[in-house]
Amino acid sequence: MPRTHIVLHALFPLSQAAFIGVQLYYALRTRDLPYTIVLVCCSPMCAGIDVLLVKHLIAADQRDKEHDRLRLLELQAEAQRRRMQDFDDASTHLRDEYHDFLNKLDDLDRTLRAGAAHGQMDRDIRDASALLGPYMPRLCSNLVADALLAMKMQEAHHKGIRFDCKAHVDQQTPLSDVELCAVFANMCDNALHACEALRAAGDNSATDLWIRVDARIDAHHCLVSVTNPYLRAPETRPHAECAHPDLREHGWGCSILESIAARHGGVFISAPRRGRWAARFSC
């Protein structure tokens, strides 16, 4: 449980104990026996109620965490569904292009047999080569990271933001799938929000909006770096409020990134550096 939640949960019983302690002190000083007996009898009752209250608050906090985990799993499933659809579309498109390519080769063979001119041959070869469009490669070998990064790349493309990604993420990582999803989703969303804030503010640098993601994760180490331009006015810095929009009410954002990093003995840092905003997660 985050320390802020622990402090907030402890305020009520501590303030209650302080109030009863002060009242009991003055009751003993004034030798008010009936009031002293009432306070002594009420103290165990209040303590029992406080125990029930704390248990209820802990259970509510756990429900919130499970709710957040479910949302991240839904995000992960949606990202993988979109990625699979992209691969299906690319496979269908590539298969059609391959058939067209074979037909072009047949035409080229007939042209050769007919003794066509050199210029005609060059044109036919270029036409055949142009039919093989670029294949859509995977961004990394990890299915969760690949699907989520592809979804964020598409989102950035639709918003006119250049998204450069170099990810070397293995199947075996020190993070769970939910933690991996939380790290990439929050860091990419924060960068997207920063670029959108630049565009909304009419900043001169908004003409070239970009996001760069560098990730290297294997079974023992994790390093994720996201850099982007940002709005330099202190009162409107987009990273001052680091949270996924769908999870804002439950506090997912910079705090959850810090807690995930601390859980694995690492750190999360988000600060301006050399005229750009740099977020770095490592463990």
Side-chain angles (χ1 to χ4, degrees):
M1 186 181 298
R3 292 181 180 178
T4 54
H5 289 192
I6 294 175
V7 172
L8 290 173
H9 293 351
L11 282 178
F12 181 77
L14 289 177
S15 60
Q16 190 182 61
F19 177 77
I20 292 178
V22 171
Q23 293 296 310
L24 186 59
Y25 171 77
Y26 282 105
L28 292 173
R29 283 286 303 270
T30 58
R31 298 181 180 179
D32 189 344
L33 185 58
Y35 191 41
T36 301
I37 295 173
V38 170
L39 290 173
V40 170
C41 293
C42 287
S43 296
M45 294 175 56
C46 292
I49 293 173
D50 290 341
V51 170
L52 294 176
L53 174 63
V54 170
K55 286 184 177 180
H56 174 75
L57 291 174
I58 292 175
D61 188 77
Q62 292 297 326
R63 285 195 298 271
D64 285 345
K65 287 183 178 180
E66 288 300 318
H67 183 66
D68 293 336
R69 183 174 180 273
L70 179 61
R71 290 194 179 204
L72 283 171
L73 287 173
E74 290 175 348
L75 177 64
Q76 175 186 331
E78 174 63 17
Q80 290 182 344
R81 186 194 65 78
R82 290 188 187 182
R83 190 60 166 163
M84 183 60 68
Q85 184 62 46
D86 290 341
F87 277 118
D88 287 343
D89 295 343
S91 298
T92 302
H93 187 60
L94 188 61
R95 186 168 56 251
D96 294 340
E97 287 182 339
Y98 180 69
H99 288 307
D100 293 339
F101 178 72
L102 292 180
N103 292 332
K104 275 291 183 181
L105 287 181
D106 291 337
D107 294 340
L108 188 59
D109 180 66
R110 287 192 291 270
T111 304
L112 280 172
R113 293 177 184 276
H118 183 72
Q120 179 63 34
M121 289 291 301
D122 285 343
R123 286 193 295 272
D124 289 344
I125 292 174
R126 285 196 298 270
D127 291 342
S129 300
L131 287 173
L132 291 180
Y135 173 68
M136 183 182 63
R138 286 177 56 175
L139 298 176
C140 62
S141 60
N142 186 283
L143 297 178
V144 174
D146 174 70
L148 192 62
L149 286 171
M151 185 172 71
K152 296 305 176 184
M153 181 179 288
Q154 289 179 357
E155 184 177 346
H157 177 73
H158 292 325
K159 294 178 179 179
I161 301 171
R162 191 172 77 253
F163 193 100
D164 299 324
C165 179
K166 291 184 179 180
H168 302 279
V169 186
D170 297 339
Q171 282 296 108
Q172 299 296 325
T173 72
L175 305 177
S176 67
D177 287 349
V178 174
E179 290 173 329
L180 198 64
C181 183
V183 169
F184 281 113
N186 280 284
M187 293 181 72
C188 290
D189 280 341
N190 291 337
L192 285 169
H193 297 334
C195 291
E196 289 178 322
L198 270 175
R199 178 174 291 158
D203 193 285
N204 293 333
S205 58
T207 55
D208 182 25
L209 298 177
W210 55 270
I211 295 171
R212 180 177 178 83
V213 178
D214 293 287
R216 183 173 293 277
I217 306 176
D218 54 33
H220 306 290
H221 301 92
C222 173
L223 177 61
V224 181
S225 174
V226 178
T227 55
N228 56 269
Y230 72 102
L231 195 60
R232 288 171 176 76
E235 66 275 9
T236 55
R237 277 184 182 170
H239 283 266
E241 191 77 22
C242 296
H244 191 283
D246 294 334
L247 304 173
R248 184 184 302 277
E249 61 180 329
H250 298 300
W252 286 77
C254 286
S255 60
I256 195 62
L257 291 170
E258 291 169 355
S259 66
I260 293 174
R263 191 180 306 143
H264 295 275
V267 294
F268 171 72
I269 302 172
S270 181
R273 182 184 179 186
R274 297 178 182 177
R276 62 189 63 181
W277 197 275
R280 183 185 178 94
F281 178 97
S282 62
C283 66

